[in-house]
Amino acid sequence: MSTKRLNASKVNSIRRTCVIFPGALGDFICFLPALQALAHTVAVDLFARSEFAEIAPKGVIVGAIERPEITRLFRPESIADNELQKFFDTYDAVYSWFASRDENFVLRLLALTDGGARVFPFRAASNQAHQTDHYLGCLNAPAGTPREPVIQLRAEAVAWADSFWSQHALRRRPVMVIAPGSGAREKNWPSEFFLAVIHWWKEAIDGMVLLLSGPVEQDRGGIEPLQSSCIVAGDLNLSRVAALLARSDLYLGNDSGVSHLCAALGVRTAVVFGPSDPVQWAPRGRRVTVLRRGIECSPCHELIMKRCPHRACLSELHPAQIIATLEELPEVVTLTRQKAGITV
């Protein structure tokens, strides 16, 4: 639901903007170009997941979406809430992708902003539109607006990653990072398939493998064989994850937020897609390779995905097929020649 624009006097004097954005890491990375477009001209207070402060653009202050000034919008009495009114009066513009289908939430937000808030659907109406383009379209971004996310590494995180590389003797070895989890188990490539790729990387490239182990990897279970074959990096904040990814030679993961993060860093990113649609969700970046097995029922709706009895889009996407594609990547070709002693 879109609301009317701010009046001309406010538009010409914008000083600080409020942005309310729900969603997980992958959603946020898709949203970054729109957020960067806003932050280019105004200071932005972003209410989203607190951990996004680790990778937010300059000029953006991140606050928790659970803070009272946001959650109180769901209460009927919020329209007459003087403290809430003062909070929104500090902003010259308000953009929200949160609770657009909750009529009461929208009406209260409009009342508190004198009808000036702009409220958009969180998801694109058509799955033929990439999420990044949907968010930019909500802002009527000009055609020349950058459509790839940009992430600036933090100096502290870079220093920490340097130390991690030294500690694990990775400086002279090709490093592949894998992230075998995702926000939905149904999108996960089988762990034994990841293991086959790990063995290939070690034998063919003489490389090391770094396993990112976060909550989604721990929740999926069955990754113990992967842990015993890899260097494990777990329980890291996003800035440190980004710094590790930025140092790697190759990344392999599922359709997940970490895959979007890696692509945004310009690292060679190989992403396994099964039931989800790469047209809408493929990570944006200069060095992204989508790996998928085209079958008639893929991509599919989330409800169908969760009931699928065979998961053939992933279970029949065999490691040999993935390895054959990875072997043709320019970065891997170079590493293979180096191992063979061929001057590059």
Side-chain angles (χ1 to χ4, degrees):
M1 171 180 178
S2 276
T3 67
K4 66 183 181 180
R5 297 175 181 271
L6 296 173
N7 61 51
S9 62
K10 280 195 172 185
V11 170
N12 292 331
S13 62
I14 287 178
R15 297 180 303 278
R16 192 153 203 94
T17 293
C18 170
V19 175
I20 309 173
F21 186 82
L25 178 59
D27 305 304
F28 179 68
I29 302 296
C30 289
F31 181 61
L32 270 180
L35 182 61
Q36 288 158 348
L38 284 173
H40 183 68
T41 56
V42 298
V44 174
D45 286 348
L46 170 68
F47 299 99
R49 294 194 180 191
S50 299
E51 59 264 32
F52 296 161
E54 296 284 338
I55 55 172
K58 291 182 179 179
V60 175
I61 297 176
V62 180
I65 198 170
E66 299 87 2
R67 67 179 293 160
E69 291 86 350
I70 305 301
T71 58
R72 273 153 54 187
L73 290 170
F74 290 98
R75 300 179 185 176
E77 65 272 17
S78 65
I79 292 177
D81 189 326
N82 290 332
E83 290 185 7
L84 206 55
Q85 185 67 66
K86 290 179 182 178
F87 174 80
F88 283 103
D89 280 348
T90 63
Y91 295 106
D92 298 277
V94 176
Y95 299 90
S96 176
W97 283 265
F98 186 40
S100 65
R101 295 183 180 181
D102 188 314
E103 184 177 0
N104 291 325
F105 177 95
V106 174
L107 290 175
R108 288 161 196 151
L109 183 58
L110 289 174
L112 290 163
T113 58
D114 193 25
R118 300 183 64 188
V119 184
F120 309 103
F122 180 58
R123 293 279 186 259
S126 169
N127 59 8
Q128 295 305 304
H130 195 278
Q131 278 300 114
T132 294
D133 297 330
H134 163 64
Y135 296 133
L136 287 168
C138 292
L139 301 178
N140 295 319
T145 303
R147 292 177 180 266
E148 292 184 1
V150 176
I151 294 174
Q152 299 294 327
L153 296 176
R154 295 191 170 195
E156 175 276 329
V158 171
W160 176 87
D162 287 343
S163 176
F164 185 95
W165 238 246
S166 296
Q167 178 184 350
H168 294 281
L170 298 175
R171 289 192 180 277
R172 298 182 181 276
R173 302 288 294 278
V175 176
M176 176 173 68
V177 175
I178 65 168
S182 72
R185 291 175 180 268
E186 296 79 11
K187 297 192 296 183
N188 292 340
W189 202 43
S191 58
E192 62 270 24
F193 288 2
F194 275 101
L195 190 59
V197 177
I198 290 171
H199 291 158
W200 159 77
W201 180 261
K202 290 182 174 182
E203 294 172 8
I205 309 297
D206 191 28
M208 303 289 283
V209 181
L210 177 60
L211 169 66
L212 290 180
S213 178
V216 294
E217 283 76 24
Q218 295 163 10
D219 289 346
R220 76 170 283 175
I223 65 169
E224 291 77 14
L226 300 180
Q227 292 174 324
S228 63
S229 300
C230 303
I231 297 168
V232 180
D235 300 321
L236 304 178
N237 61 35
L238 285 178
S239 63
R240 290 188 174 185
V241 171
L244 287 183
L245 290 170
R247 291 189 63 109
S248 65
D249 297 282
L250 175 66
Y251 165 89
L252 176 65
N254 300 305
D255 170 25
S256 69
V258 175
S259 297
H260 283 269
L261 176 61
C262 190
L265 292 164
V267 175
R268 170 55 69 182
T269 303
V271 190
V272 179
F273 268 79
S276 47
D277 191 349
V279 172
Q280 186 175 8
W281 290 110
R284 285 271 175 95
R286 295 178 290 104
R287 301 165 69 195
V288 176
T289 300
V290 172
L291 307 165
R292 63 191 300 259
R293 178 176 182 266
I295 59 176
E296 290 183 358
C297 60
S298 176
C300 63
H301 190 274
E302 183 177 354
L303 293 177
I304 297 174
M305 173 182 79
K306 292 186 176 299
R307 299 171 184 168
C308 180
H310 55 77
R311 299 180 67 233
C313 58
L314 291 172
S315 63
E316 295 184 14
L317 181 56
H318 299 294
Q321 299 168 261
I322 299 297
I323 291 170
T325 301
L326 297 180
E327 287 176 328
E328 296 179 358
L329 297 176
E331 297 83 357
V332 177
V333 170
T334 297
L335 291 171
T336 303
R337 290 177 176 174
Q338 288 174 346
K339 180 175 182 280
I342 301 173
T343 304
V344 179

